[in-house]
Amino acid sequence: KFPYIKIADEPSGVTLSRMEKILDEIEPDIIIGGTSPPGSRGISVAPEQLAFQVARTRRIPSLSVIDYWLVQNRYDGHRESERFKYLPNKIAALDEGHSKREMVEQGIPEEIIVPTGNPQHDHLHTLKAGWSSEKTAMAKKEIGVPEKHRGKYLIALFSSVRDDMLDRDRDGYWDLQVIDAVMRGIMALPEDRKSEIFLAMKNHPGEKPSVLEVFSSLVNSYSAPKSEGGYGLPVAFLDSGAHRLSIHPDEMPLAVDLSIAPRSNLLIAGTLMDRDCISLQPERNFETGCPDPLITNRLDLTPHAYTTKEAIELIAGAIGNPDSFFIPYRERRRNSGFNVDGKATERVISLIEEMVR
């Protein structure tokens, strides 16, 4: 067990003087932090930002290990004059071609950026290398795909409506619109293709009971026979209560033929493991929302749609003939350098050792 000090987040945030006192007491050889933006977690300045600021005045080496591609203002203060106020000595970037390039374009000095990869993604390399047809069969059984349907084209739809009004106000859409677009796209397919599809819907584990009822009602309407007013589509509802999965969430893209979500990290995981994924953000509002945060969309590695009409057409086209539709995306994925080798943790450790020598 390592000795540690727990910094409790106070309502007003961790103060600069408190951070100075803590670091003066423990005299660290290096400070390692993440990339919490100003104002995250309900506090005005994140603890690691203050730590980086104090580190500069105390001449303590500091390292920021980033875990996402859209860094934006993560190292800035609240005023225009405070650009890069919390910039560390080094930044462990996710990759050379995309993460580092974006940061350089934002004005971060190139010499402090060291591409290492994301340690959180190292396990994806192991998952993909160890995956097998036997694991796929076991996963399908656990997902709830009946034996008679296990040879069908399996789609996983990851959804969350925990903050539905907030999402609609900020982004212009919410996840029930995504579900509706997927269903309308599937229903536009010829009958023989529709009969070859099985849909697994996975909600967010933090979903409210009232929202789960909405999901359950939707699933019933989709799976009910047409004679009873339903769509007659085989659907499994993977809610976090009645149907808990023992498989790791990042295994889902390996277990299914296609993963669909608005902007889930599972789409990034799936793309890194060279699996087919689609991002749907119908009626996305780029004026009130931030730029699309999903790196795979910005690199055009995943098919994506920003209007309802585009989303329906995308689903119908992709699912109608996936072997043909996804060919250019598979080629781009494999030629883009957007992958994992399982050695990011090793590279970050080497960088830390180099900084404290």
Side-chain angles (χ1 to χ4, degrees):
K1 227 178 179 183
F2 290 97
Y4 66 93
I5 296 174
K6 183 175 181 180
I7 302 175
D9 290 341
E10 301 173 351
S12 60
V14 180
T15 64
L16 178 62
S17 59
R18 185 180 178 199
M19 184 59 72
E20 288 174 334
K21 182 178 179 181
I22 290 172
L23 296 183
D24 286 342
E25 287 178 355
I26 62 177
E27 298 182 336
D29 295 308
I30 188 171
I31 293 174
I32 305 170
T35 51
S36 296
S40 65
R41 299 197 297 272
I43 55 178
S44 59
V45 181
E48 63 262 41
Q49 292 173 317
L50 290 177
F52 291 152
Q53 183 182 1
V54 175
R56 188 180 298 111
T57 61
R58 301 295 195 274
R59 298 184 180 278
I60 303 170
S62 58
L63 170 66
S64 175
V65 182
I66 68 170
D67 60 1
Y68 212 73
W69 283 263
L70 200 61
V71 174
Q72 288 186 307
N73 63 342
R74 300 300 172 97
Y75 304 111
D76 297 347
H78 294 284
R79 301 185 182 90
E80 288 187 17
S81 60
E82 295 178 329
R83 177 77 162 146
F84 300 145
K85 180 179 180 179
Y86 307 115
L87 197 65
N89 295 132
K90 295 287 183 181
I91 299 174
L94 295 169
D95 53 50
E96 177 85 35
H98 315 304
S99 175
K100 180 177 179 179
R101 185 183 70 241
E102 284 190 341
M103 284 189 282
V104 170
E105 289 172 354
Q106 291 169 24
I108 295 176
E110 184 174 2
E111 61 271 17
I112 76 169
I113 306 170
V114 182
T116 60
N118 187 350
Q120 294 183 47
H121 289 156
D122 278 351
H123 73 288
L124 299 178
H125 181 266
T126 304
L127 285 180
K128 180 185 176 184
W131 199 253
S132 64
S133 57
E134 289 78 15
K135 287 188 176 181
T136 297
M138 290 175 61
K140 287 185 175 182
K141 181 178 180 181
E142 185 174 349
I143 288 170
V145 182
E147 190 170 354
K148 65 178 180 179
H149 293 306
R150 286 178 196 163
K152 293 187 173 183
Y153 188 78
L154 178 57
I155 303 169
L157 173 57
F158 303 100
S159 192
S160 169
V161 292
R162 291 178 302 153
D163 300 311
D164 55 345
M165 294 307 297
L166 174 63
D167 288 346
R168 276 185 281 187
D169 291 343
R170 181 191 62 208
D171 297 329
Y173 71 94
W174 65 316
D175 284 32
L176 288 186
Q177 290 173 270
V178 176
I179 297 171
D180 180 65
V182 170
M183 294 309 304
R184 290 167 66 182
I186 292 175
M187 299 316 295
L189 295 171
E191 288 298 324
D192 58 342
R193 180 55 178 157
K194 277 190 286 189
S195 67
E196 298 173 345
I197 293 169
F198 191 96
L199 178 65
M201 290 175 55
K202 179 74 175 74
N203 67 288
H204 193 281
E207 219 71 87
K208 298 175 182 177
S210 60
V211 172
L212 292 180
E213 292 178 10
V214 174
F215 270 103
S216 181
S217 175
L218 281 171
V219 171
N220 290 337
S221 69
Y222 297 150
S223 58
K226 294 181 181 178
S227 59
E228 299 177 13
Y231 292 97
L233 181 70
V235 183
F237 178 34
L238 313 180
D239 74 82
S240 56
H243 197 142
R244 292 186 181 275
L245 301 178
S246 63
I247 62 174
H248 192 283
D250 287 340
E251 291 179 315
M252 286 291 287
L254 292 169
V256 304
D257 296 294
L258 174 64
S259 298
I260 304 173
R263 55 184 188 274
S264 170
N265 282 331
L266 283 171
L267 298 185
I268 293 177
T271 305
L272 285 168
M273 293 186 291
D274 197 23
R275 301 294 294 171
D276 292 336
C277 300
I278 285 178
S279 166
L280 300 182
Q281 302 177 40
E283 310 314 321
R284 179 173 181 84
N285 189 334
F286 286 99
E287 293 182 5
T288 59
C290 65
D292 187 345
L294 198 64
I295 181 65
T296 56
N297 285 351
R298 301 205 304 278
L299 297 175
D300 201 23
L301 301 180
T302 43
H304 50 283
Y306 297 129
T307 70
T308 299
K309 182 176 182 294
E310 290 174 352
I312 295 170
E313 293 174 350
L314 172 56
I315 291 299
I319 299 174
N321 189 356
D323 286 338
S324 172
F325 180 89
F326 283 104
I327 285 176
Y329 292 96
R330 292 167 184 167
E331 290 178 350
R332 277 199 292 274
R333 286 199 306 258
R334 293 161 190 172
N335 296 328
S336 68
F338 192 81
N339 50 40
V340 289
D341 62 4
K343 298 180 179 179
T345 302
E346 180 182 321
R347 285 190 284 268
V348 170
I349 292 173
S350 295
L351 176 57
I352 294 170
E353 292 174 340
E354 179 183 319
M355 292 179 68
V356 298
R357 283 194 190 117

